[in-house]
Amino acid sequence: MEIKITWSTLAKQQLKDIGQYVADNFGERTANKSLERIVKKVNSLYVFPESGSFDKKYSTDSYTVRHLTIHPNVVYYIQFANQITIMAVAHEKQSPQTVSSMITRFIEHHTP
């Protein structure tokens, strides 16, 4: 079963924002390393799609929600069979209510 990974519009923007923040505060080289770490970890899902921590609160019989911690960020993804969508990339200290709202909104708009 071949895995397909896509990034939501929100996750792409968040990744861009992370890169910009790190570049502004720590330099371009550090920003590139940070983004490479995130992308490399996400790409590992092609081989190990269930490597993220299971999020029971959001998962159902139809789909699974998991997250990868890539300090100081957390990547949230949803999996339907062989399709993975990166829903959001949040800072690990972001408010749980904000993260919950992002995930819930994504699920409401992108699942049957």
Side-chain angles (χ1 to χ4, degrees), residues 24-109:
D24 291 348
N25 292 279
F26 305 101
E28 203 65 40
R29 184 176 172 158
T30 303
N32 289 335
K33 281 184 175 182
S34 297
L35 295 177
E36 284 173 14
R37 280 183 48 237
I38 293 170
V39 171
K40 184 177 179 180
K41 188 77 167 183
V42 166
N43 285 341
S44 74
L45 296 174
Y46 284 111
V47 179
F48 304 107
E50 296 178 357
S51 62
S53 299
F54 180 71
D55 284 313
K56 182 180 178 180
K57 177 178 178 181
Y58 304 109
S59 298
T60 70
D61 291 339
S62 303
Y63 56 84
T64 303
V65 175
R66 296 179 178 276
H67 68 271
L68 297 168
T69 301
I70 309 158
H71 181 72
N73 300 294
V74 182
V75 174
Y76 295 90
Y77 66 96
I78 189 167
Q79 182 176 6
F80 300 90
N82 65 338
Q83 171 66 45
I84 291 174
T85 302
I86 308 304
M87 296 185 291
V89 184
H91 191 278
E92 62 189 8
K93 292 186 179 180
Q94 194 159 9
S95 118
Q97 294 85 358
T98 301
V99 171
S100 182
S101 176
M102 281 189 298
I103 293 169
T104 302
R105 238 180 289 128
F106 183 91
I107 290 169
E108 286 172 355
H109 291 96

